[in-house]
Amino acid sequence: MINKLKVLRAEHDLTQAGLASELGVSRQTINAIEKGKFDPSLSLAFKISRRFGLPIESIFIEESA
């Protein structure tokens, strides 16, 4: 899954640690999501979308098979 989390975080002047703290996850989780090594749970995806005020599908894009 492709995501725009790193770009959004930069636009909002947030560190990985700062965003992780707001979302209640580890900095390593944010790092793994940004690198595409980890797909967030639906619950975490909703938290991220609410944090940035955007629909989930504008942050996370499914790659074509």
Side-chain angles (χ1 to χ4, degrees):
M1 184 177 332
I2 301 168
N3 70 76
K4 299 179 182 178
L5 187 55
K6 186 173 184 174
V7 171
L8 288 170
R9 189 174 54 74
E11 288 175 352
H12 288 83
D13 199 30
L14 285 167
T15 63
Q16 287 181 343
L19 179 59
S21 177
E22 287 185 30
L23 298 174
V25 298
S26 70
R27 183 200 58 77
Q28 290 84 354
T29 297
I30 299 300
N31 185 38
I33 293 169
E34 288 182 358
K35 290 185 175 191
K37 294 181 178 183
F38 177 74
D39 290 336
S41 66
L42 189 55
S43 174
L44 180 53
F46 272 111
K47 284 182 182 180
I48 293 168
S49 74
R50 282 193 300 269
R51 167 57 182 89
F52 293 107
L54 296 169
I56 290 175
E57 56 274 2
S58 72
I59 301 171
F60 299 97
I61 299 104
E62 185 177 12
E63 293 181 271
S64 300

